[in-house]
Each structure stands twice: as C-alpha cells, then as structure tokens.
Amino acid sequence: MNVNIHQSWKPYLQEEFNKPYFKDLVNFVKAEYSKHKCFPPGKQIFNAFEFCHFDAVKVVIIGQDPYHGVGQAHGLCFSVNEGISHPPSLINIFKEIENDLGVPYPKNGNLDRWAKQGVLLLNATLTVRSHQAGSHQKKGWEQFTNALIEQVSTHKKDIVFLLWGGFAKTKSTLINEDKHSILTSGHPSPLSANRGYWFGNKHFSKTNFLLEQVGLKAVVW
C-alpha cells in the first residue's frame, strides 16, 4: 500500500502499511472522513513526519489523541494552528518552558518550529471525530504508532523520549533504555498539573542537556 508519508519514513514503515490491520484502518478512516467531520484535515494526518524526517529525529514527545475542536489539530501532538486559542495543556507546556528556561510565553501555538528541529510530535492515535475525544482509538492507529516508536528505538540512538502522563509512560516498554533517554512526568493537563505532577519537571532544559552531552544541537523551545 502506498501511503502519503514523507519518503524518509517509508523504509521503516512499509512493512506496517502492507499488514491487514493497516488496510482495515485506512478503510475505517476513509469512511469516517466521508461521513463525519474529522480532524486533522486529511492532508495533515501525517504532518508530524512531514515536518520531522526520520534522519532528523532527536526528541520524541508522545500524545494520545488529536484535539477535536474546529481548527485546532494539524497533525502534531499538543500543537494548534497559528491564531487558534491555546488549549490548557499547551498553556501549561509554555508556562513550564517559561519557568524552566526563561523563554517568554509565545503567541503562536503552532509547534512546527519544534518539529523542524528534530522533535517528533507523535499522537498515538492520528485522527479523531469532531468533538468526540477518543473516537478513533483502538482502530489500528496504536498498533501503527507503537511499531513506529519501536523502529525509532531500534534504528536510532541517543533519542530523548518525553513521556507525559500515565498513557505515554506505557510506551516506555517499546524503547531501548540502553540506547536512549526517557524523561517522565505527569501530564500537562490542568487535572495533573494543578496537583503538582507537571510544573517543575524541567524537561526542556534536561532535554537540551542530554542532547548536548552527545554532541547534538539544543532545541530552541
């Protein structure tokens, strides 16, 4: 099956594209987009891989589901299109960056500027029905993104994986900790952050320290 994903990823994912579950997933997604309003727009489903090519990956942030409000999701986890109000989790991410690194809170919530620096902003599920969180879970996306995480773990080295919240932490079993660094904390959502599980994790300065230790360029957060 030929999937419209950046060429750099195809050698590592082609095997998945040819599996029966992925064909079923494609049929499900096509049917959902034809019958319902779904996000992100079809051409942006694989945006995370378009902005961050396989060879460039040095940080992986794992989210769960795309935003399900109009105009928000564009294929990068936690990111919204420019001009869209920042969702609560993104607000708390920017606040932590401000506290950690002294970087002023930005007006633009579009994180493609991170992706272009080698930050893979990966949702475990890549599509969602409008205003129905989790509506495309357990349809095959998780199997695909799990395989993708394993491919990155196997074929890359010195990646910093940021696992925020209980769901993301389950992905640690897919990662070779002898080759990569894993930073965990609570989720940036208000429910977790307001209980003290997010703020102060200093993941952004820690990530840059780890990257520089192996001779890679720090991320301009």
Side-chain angles (χ1 to χ4, degrees):
M1 181 179 291
N2 186 34
V3 176
N4 189 22
I5 195 170
H6 190 268
Q7 282 297 126
S8 66
W9 290 91
K10 286 191 174 179
Y12 306 98
L13 298 174
Q14 192 59 52
E15 197 176 315
E16 295 304 308
F17 299 151
N18 293 331
K19 289 180 179 177
Y21 88 85
F22 196 85
K23 292 174 183 176
D24 292 342
L25 171 62
V26 168
N27 290 334
F28 166 77
V29 170
K30 282 180 177 174
E32 281 287 292
Y33 274 71
S34 68
K35 295 175 190 170
H36 308 282
K37 183 84 173 164
C38 295
F39 301 119
K43 289 182 178 177
Q44 297 179 354
I45 291 171
F46 293 108
N47 252 6
F49 315 101
E50 198 62 40
F51 285 111
C52 184
H53 303 165
F54 183 85
D55 297 339
V57 177
K58 57 189 182 184
V59 179
V60 178
I61 299 176
I62 298 174
Q64 190 162 0
D65 224 18
Y67 296 125
H68 51 79
V70 175
Q72 291 181 310
H74 64 119
L76 309 178
C77 74
F78 294 108
S79 177
V80 291
N81 284 300
E82 188 170 358
I84 297 291
S85 296
H86 300 173
S89 291
L90 185 58
I91 290 171
N92 287 336
I93 288 169
F94 286 152
K95 283 181 178 176
E96 177 58 25
I97 292 171
E98 194 170 22
N99 294 335
D100 185 13
L101 297 170
V103 175
Y105 189 102
K107 289 180 182 176
N108 184 359
N110 188 332
L111 303 181
D112 63 5
R113 59 187 183 272
W114 294 2
K116 290 171 184 174
Q117 297 178 73
V119 181
L120 180 63
L121 295 161
L122 178 67
N123 274 316
T125 301
L126 296 186
T127 57
V128 70
R129 197 187 288 185
S130 175
H131 302 299
Q132 293 186 40
S135 48
H136 288 186
Q137 290 176 5
K138 299 180 181 172
K139 301 295 182 183
W141 277 131
E142 295 91 339
Q143 187 173 340
F144 170 69
T145 53
N146 281 352
L148 189 151
I149 293 165
E150 288 181 318
Q151 288 292 317
V152 170
S153 176
T154 300
H155 295 285
K156 304 279 288 183
K157 64 175 185 175
D158 300 322
I159 304 292
V160 182
F161 288 87
L162 302 181
L163 308 183
W164 299 336
F167 174 82
K169 288 174 188 173
T170 65
K171 305 299 180 181
S172 63
T173 58
L174 307 170
I175 301 160
N176 183 343
E177 292 190 57
D178 294 330
K179 292 172 61 185
H180 306 288
S181 298
I182 298 176
L183 299 179
T184 62
S185 81
H187 195 275
S189 68
L191 188 65
S192 172
N194 294 340
R195 290 177 178 172
Y197 301 133
W198 166 255
F199 291 114
N201 66 27
K202 298 192 179 295
H203 274 194
F204 304 96
S205 60
K206 287 176 181 175
T207 295
N208 282 350
F209 174 79
L210 289 166
L211 293 174
E212 289 174 332
Q213 288 293 102
V214 294
L216 294 172
K217 219 172 166 182
V219 176
V220 179
W221 298 104

